[in-house]
Short mmCIF file of all heavy atoms in Angstrom, two decimals:
data_model
loop_
_atom_site.label_atom_id
_atom_site.label_comp_id
_atom_site.label_asym_id
_atom_site.label_seq_id
_atom_site.Cartn_x
_atom_site.Cartn_y
_atom_site.Cartn_z
N GLY B 311 68.85 146.33 97.04
CA GLY B 311 70.20 146.81 96.93
C GLY B 311 70.55 147.42 95.52
O GLY B 311 71.10 148.43 95.45
N LEU B 312 70.12 146.64 94.59
CA LEU B 312 70.36 147.11 93.16
C LEU B 312 69.77 148.52 92.93
O LEU B 312 70.33 149.35 92.15
CB LEU B 312 69.74 146.21 92.21
CG LEU B 312 70.51 144.95 91.72
CD1 LEU B 312 69.70 143.97 90.79
CD2 LEU B 312 71.77 145.22 91.14
N THR B 313 68.65 148.79 93.61
CA THR B 313 67.91 150.05 93.36
C THR B 313 68.26 151.04 94.36
O THR B 313 67.57 152.09 94.51
CB THR B 313 66.44 149.77 93.18
OG1 THR B 313 65.99 149.12 94.56
CG2 THR B 313 66.01 148.92 92.11
N GLY B 314 69.30 150.79 95.20
CA GLY B 314 69.82 151.78 96.10
C GLY B 314 68.88 151.93 97.35
O GLY B 314 69.04 153.10 98.06
N GLN B 315 68.03 150.97 97.63
CA GLN B 315 67.15 151.26 98.83
C GLN B 315 67.59 150.38 100.08
O GLN B 315 67.01 150.55 101.10
CB GLN B 315 65.74 150.77 98.38
CG GLN B 315 65.14 151.55 97.26
CD GLN B 315 63.84 150.93 96.82
OE1 GLN B 315 62.76 151.17 97.42
NE2 GLN B 315 63.96 150.38 95.67
N LEU B 316 68.62 149.69 99.88
CA LEU B 316 69.11 148.88 101.01
C LEU B 316 70.60 148.73 100.85
O LEU B 316 71.13 148.37 99.86
CB LEU B 316 68.44 147.39 101.02
CG LEU B 316 68.36 146.58 102.25
CD1 LEU B 316 67.53 147.26 103.26
CD2 LEU B 316 67.92 145.24 101.95
N SER B 317 71.41 149.19 101.96
CA SER B 317 72.90 149.22 101.79
C SER B 317 73.39 147.75 102.01
O SER B 317 72.64 146.82 102.51
CB SER B 317 73.43 150.05 102.84
OG SER B 317 73.36 149.51 104.14
N ALA B 318 74.57 147.49 101.56
CA ALA B 318 75.33 146.28 101.75
C ALA B 318 75.30 145.87 103.15
O ALA B 318 75.18 144.69 103.46
CB ALA B 318 76.67 146.38 101.10
N GLU B 319 75.46 146.86 104.00
CA GLU B 319 75.49 146.50 105.50
C GLU B 319 74.14 146.09 105.99
O GLU B 319 74.07 145.49 107.08
CB GLU B 319 76.03 147.74 106.23
CG GLU B 319 77.53 148.09 106.01
CD GLU B 319 77.81 148.69 104.60
OE1 GLU B 319 76.82 149.27 104.04
OE2 GLU B 319 78.89 148.71 104.25
N GLN B 320 73.07 146.46 105.48
CA GLN B 320 71.74 146.21 105.89
C GLN B 320 71.18 145.02 105.42
O GLN B 320 70.05 144.42 105.96
CB GLN B 320 70.76 147.36 105.51
CG GLN B 320 71.05 148.75 106.14
CD GLN B 320 70.19 149.75 105.46
OE1 GLN B 320 69.92 149.84 104.36
NE2 GLN B 320 69.43 150.47 106.44
N GLN B 321 71.67 144.32 104.35
CA GLN B 321 71.06 143.24 103.63
C GLN B 321 70.86 141.98 104.53
O GLN B 321 69.89 141.16 104.48
CB GLN B 321 71.72 142.96 102.30
CG GLN B 321 71.43 144.01 101.39
CD GLN B 321 72.25 143.93 100.12
OE1 GLN B 321 72.57 142.87 99.68
NE2 GLN B 321 72.50 145.13 99.39
N SER B 322 71.96 141.74 105.39
CA SER B 322 71.88 140.48 106.15
C SER B 322 70.77 140.57 107.28
O SER B 322 69.96 139.70 107.41
CB SER B 322 73.22 140.30 106.94
OG SER B 322 73.08 139.25 107.80
N ASP B 323 70.64 141.76 107.91
CA ASP B 323 69.55 141.86 108.83
C ASP B 323 68.12 141.96 108.32
O ASP B 323 67.18 141.48 108.71
CB ASP B 323 69.71 143.23 109.76
CG ASP B 323 70.86 142.93 110.72
OD1 ASP B 323 70.82 141.87 111.43
OD2 ASP B 323 71.68 143.82 110.87
N TYR B 324 68.15 142.58 107.03
CA TYR B 324 66.86 142.51 106.29
C TYR B 324 66.44 141.12 105.94
O TYR B 324 65.25 140.78 106.18
CB TYR B 324 67.06 143.32 105.02
CG TYR B 324 65.78 143.26 104.06
CD1 TYR B 324 64.61 143.99 104.31
CD2 TYR B 324 65.81 142.43 102.86
CE1 TYR B 324 63.53 143.95 103.53
CE2 TYR B 324 64.70 142.51 102.13
CZ TYR B 324 63.61 143.20 102.35
OH TYR B 324 62.51 143.14 101.54
N LEU B 325 67.33 140.20 105.39
CA LEU B 325 67.04 138.81 105.15
C LEU B 325 66.68 138.12 106.39
O LEU B 325 65.67 137.30 106.40
CB LEU B 325 68.19 138.15 104.37
CG LEU B 325 68.04 136.78 104.03
CD1 LEU B 325 66.94 136.50 103.04
CD2 LEU B 325 69.28 136.10 103.51
N SER B 326 67.24 138.43 107.50
CA SER B 326 66.97 137.78 108.86
C SER B 326 65.54 138.02 109.21
O SER B 326 64.64 137.23 109.58
CB SER B 326 67.91 138.24 109.93
OG SER B 326 67.45 137.84 111.17
N GLY B 327 65.19 139.42 109.08
CA GLY B 327 63.77 139.83 109.41
C GLY B 327 62.77 139.16 108.45
O GLY B 327 61.66 138.77 108.96
N LEU B 328 63.13 139.25 107.14
CA LEU B 328 62.20 138.48 106.23
C LEU B 328 61.93 136.93 106.65
O LEU B 328 60.73 136.58 106.75
CB LEU B 328 62.80 138.29 104.90
CG LEU B 328 62.70 139.49 103.89
CD1 LEU B 328 63.43 139.04 102.51
CD2 LEU B 328 61.23 139.80 103.65
N LEU B 329 62.95 136.24 107.07
CA LEU B 329 62.74 134.83 107.29
C LEU B 329 62.05 134.68 108.69
O LEU B 329 61.10 133.82 108.79
CB LEU B 329 64.07 134.09 107.44
CG LEU B 329 64.76 133.96 106.06
CD1 LEU B 329 65.85 132.77 106.14
CD2 LEU B 329 63.94 133.77 104.89
N ILE B 330 62.36 135.46 109.69
CA ILE B 330 61.60 135.35 110.99
C ILE B 330 60.11 135.89 110.73
O ILE B 330 59.23 135.33 111.30
CB ILE B 330 62.29 136.09 112.00
CG1 ILE B 330 63.67 135.40 112.40
CG2 ILE B 330 61.56 136.34 113.30
CD1 ILE B 330 64.59 136.14 113.24
N GLY B 331 60.00 136.86 109.89
CA GLY B 331 58.72 137.36 109.58
C GLY B 331 57.91 136.24 108.89
O GLY B 331 56.65 136.11 109.23
N HIS B 332 58.50 135.56 107.99
CA HIS B 332 57.69 134.50 107.34
C HIS B 332 57.32 133.39 108.32
O HIS B 332 56.26 132.72 108.26
CB HIS B 332 58.60 133.90 106.16
CG HIS B 332 58.36 134.64 104.96
ND1 HIS B 332 57.17 134.64 104.13
CD2 HIS B 332 59.22 135.40 104.21
CE1 HIS B 332 57.35 135.52 103.05
NE2 HIS B 332 58.55 135.92 103.11
N GLU B 333 58.23 133.03 109.22
CA GLU B 333 57.95 132.06 110.23
C GLU B 333 56.79 132.51 111.05
O GLU B 333 55.80 131.67 111.28
CB GLU B 333 59.20 131.92 111.16
CG GLU B 333 58.96 130.91 112.39
CD GLU B 333 60.17 130.96 113.17
OE1 GLU B 333 61.36 131.10 112.86
OE2 GLU B 333 59.99 130.81 114.51
N LEU B 334 56.70 133.68 111.56
CA LEU B 334 55.62 134.23 112.46
C LEU B 334 54.31 134.32 111.70
O LEU B 334 53.24 134.11 112.21
CB LEU B 334 55.99 135.56 113.15
CG LEU B 334 57.25 135.37 114.05
CD1 LEU B 334 57.62 136.64 114.71
CD2 LEU B 334 57.04 134.35 115.16
N ARG B 335 54.51 134.77 110.45
CA ARG B 335 53.24 134.84 109.54
C ARG B 335 52.57 133.52 109.42
O ARG B 335 51.37 133.39 109.57
CB ARG B 335 53.64 135.48 108.25
CG ARG B 335 52.50 135.46 107.22
CD ARG B 335 52.92 135.88 105.75
NE ARG B 335 51.80 135.80 104.89
CZ ARG B 335 51.56 136.66 103.90
NH1 ARG B 335 52.13 137.61 103.90
NH2 ARG B 335 50.47 136.39 103.16
N GLY B 336 53.48 132.50 109.09
CA GLY B 336 52.98 131.11 109.06
C GLY B 336 52.27 130.60 110.26
O GLY B 336 51.17 130.00 110.16
N LEU B 337 53.00 130.93 111.33
CA LEU B 337 52.38 130.50 112.61
C LEU B 337 51.08 131.17 112.90
O LEU B 337 50.14 130.60 113.35
CB LEU B 337 53.40 130.77 113.74
CG LEU B 337 53.19 130.24 115.17
CD1 LEU B 337 53.22 128.75 115.20
CD2 LEU B 337 54.25 130.82 116.05
N ASN B 338 50.96 132.44 112.65
CA ASN B 338 49.76 133.16 112.74
C ASN B 338 48.73 132.85 111.99
O ASN B 338 47.43 132.91 112.27
CB ASN B 338 50.05 134.71 112.51
CG ASN B 338 49.30 135.59 113.22
OD1 ASN B 338 48.75 135.38 114.43
ND2 ASN B 338 48.81 136.81 112.60
N GLU B 339 48.97 132.31 110.71
CA GLU B 339 47.96 131.86 109.78
C GLU B 339 47.26 130.60 110.38
O GLU B 339 46.17 130.33 110.25
CB GLU B 339 48.46 131.61 108.42
CG GLU B 339 48.82 133.02 107.71
CD GLU B 339 49.40 132.74 106.27
OE1 GLU B 339 49.78 131.58 105.96
OE2 GLU B 339 49.49 133.73 105.52
N VAL B 340 48.13 129.73 110.98
CA VAL B 340 47.70 128.40 111.59
C VAL B 340 46.73 128.92 112.75
O VAL B 340 45.58 128.32 112.87
CB VAL B 340 48.77 127.70 112.16
CG1 VAL B 340 48.18 126.53 113.09
CG2 VAL B 340 49.60 126.94 111.00
N LEU B 341 47.07 129.84 113.63
CA LEU B 341 46.34 130.26 114.69
C LEU B 341 45.00 130.91 114.11
O LEU B 341 43.94 130.66 114.68
CB LEU B 341 47.02 131.38 115.52
CG LEU B 341 48.29 130.75 116.30
CD1 LEU B 341 49.11 131.89 116.95
CD2 LEU B 341 47.63 129.89 117.46
N THR B 342 45.09 131.75 113.08
CA THR B 342 43.95 132.40 112.53
C THR B 342 42.85 131.29 112.12
O THR B 342 41.63 131.52 112.32
CB THR B 342 44.37 133.18 111.31
OG1 THR B 342 45.24 134.21 111.84
CG2 THR B 342 43.10 133.98 110.74
N ARG B 343 43.30 130.28 111.50
CA ARG B 343 42.39 129.19 111.07
C ARG B 343 41.68 128.57 112.33
O ARG B 343 40.70 127.90 112.16
CB ARG B 343 43.14 128.13 110.29
CG ARG B 343 43.54 128.63 108.93
CD ARG B 343 43.97 127.45 108.05
NE ARG B 343 45.31 126.91 108.37
CZ ARG B 343 46.46 127.38 107.77
NH1 ARG B 343 46.41 128.39 106.94
NH2 ARG B 343 47.65 126.86 108.10
N GLU B 344 42.28 128.73 113.56
CA GLU B 344 41.67 128.23 114.70
C GLU B 344 41.03 129.32 115.59
O GLU B 344 40.77 129.23 116.83
CB GLU B 344 42.89 127.49 115.53
CG GLU B 344 43.47 126.43 114.89
CD GLU B 344 44.75 125.90 115.39
OE1 GLU B 344 45.24 126.40 116.50
OE2 GLU B 344 45.37 124.96 114.97
N GLN B 345 40.77 130.43 114.86
CA GLN B 345 40.09 131.45 115.57
C GLN B 345 40.94 132.07 116.74
O GLN B 345 40.48 132.43 117.68
CB GLN B 345 38.65 131.15 116.13
CG GLN B 345 37.50 131.24 115.01
CD GLN B 345 37.64 130.07 114.09
OE1 GLN B 345 37.59 128.90 114.59
NE2 GLN B 345 37.66 130.36 112.79
N SER B 346 42.26 132.12 116.52
CA SER B 346 43.21 132.61 117.48
C SER B 346 44.08 133.41 116.86
O SER B 346 43.98 133.85 115.66
CB SER B 346 43.77 131.40 118.15
OG SER B 346 44.68 131.92 119.15
N ALA B 347 45.16 133.91 117.50
CA ALA B 347 46.17 134.82 116.87
C ALA B 347 47.31 135.05 117.79
O ALA B 347 47.23 134.84 119.02
CB ALA B 347 45.56 136.22 116.54
N LEU B 348 48.46 135.31 117.22
CA LEU B 348 49.65 135.53 118.03
C LEU B 348 49.41 136.61 119.12
O LEU B 348 49.90 136.58 120.20
CB LEU B 348 50.85 135.98 117.08
CG LEU B 348 51.56 134.89 116.36
CD1 LEU B 348 52.67 135.40 115.60
CD2 LEU B 348 52.27 133.88 117.31
N ALA B 349 48.69 137.63 118.66
CA ALA B 349 48.36 138.86 119.51
C ALA B 349 47.58 138.35 120.67
O ALA B 349 47.64 139.02 121.86
CB ALA B 349 47.53 139.83 118.73
N GLY B 350 46.79 137.27 120.74
CA GLY B 350 46.13 137.00 121.91
C GLY B 350 46.51 135.81 122.80
O GLY B 350 45.81 135.31 123.65
N LYS B 351 47.79 135.29 122.39
CA LYS B 351 48.20 133.99 123.16
C LYS B 351 49.25 134.35 124.13
O LYS B 351 50.06 135.20 123.97
CB LYS B 351 48.96 133.20 121.93
CG LYS B 351 48.01 132.28 121.21
CD LYS B 351 47.74 131.13 122.11
CE LYS B 351 47.14 129.90 121.32
NZ LYS B 351 46.36 129.07 122.18
N PRO B 352 49.12 133.62 125.44
CA PRO B 352 50.23 133.66 126.24
C PRO B 352 51.51 132.97 125.61
O PRO B 352 51.22 131.98 125.00
CB PRO B 352 49.89 132.77 127.49
CG PRO B 352 48.26 132.72 127.24
CD PRO B 352 47.92 132.74 125.86
N LEU B 353 52.68 133.74 125.53
CA LEU B 353 53.71 133.22 124.87
C LEU B 353 55.08 133.49 125.31
O LEU B 353 55.14 134.60 126.07
CB LEU B 353 53.59 134.01 123.51
CG LEU B 353 54.42 133.61 122.29
CD1 LEU B 353 53.74 134.04 120.96
CD2 LEU B 353 55.84 134.17 122.24
N ARG B 354 55.85 132.44 125.35
CA ARG B 354 57.19 132.58 126.05
C ARG B 354 58.28 132.18 125.09
O ARG B 354 57.94 131.42 124.15
CB ARG B 354 57.37 131.81 127.39
CG ARG B 354 56.38 132.21 128.50
CD ARG B 354 56.66 133.54 129.03
NE ARG B 354 55.81 133.87 130.10
CZ ARG B 354 54.72 134.51 129.89
NH1 ARG B 354 54.39 134.89 128.65
NH2 ARG B 354 53.86 134.83 130.90
N LEU B 355 59.50 132.66 125.25
CA LEU B 355 60.54 132.39 124.41
C LEU B 355 61.57 131.68 125.25
O LEU B 355 61.91 132.01 126.45
CB LEU B 355 61.18 133.59 123.75
CG LEU B 355 60.24 134.37 122.74
CD1 LEU B 355 60.79 135.67 122.45
CD2 LEU B 355 60.01 133.44 121.56
#
Side-chain angles (χ1 to χ4, degrees):
Chain B
L312 281 175
T313 54
Q315 299 173 76
L316 201 63
S317 74
E319 290 74 18
Q320 294 177 306
Q321 290 175 25
S322 174
D323 284 317
Y324 175 75
L325 180 62
S326 167
L328 273 182
L329 295 200
I330 291 173
H332 277 291
E333 174 185 329
L334 297 181
R335 177 187 169 137
L337 190 62
N338 204 38
E339 285 176 350
V340 166
L341 290 167
T342 302
R343 289 193 285 272
E344 300 167 1
Q345 278 76 51
S346 181
L348 282 174
K351 272 286 196 196
L353 194 150
R354 295 293 178 272
L355 296 170

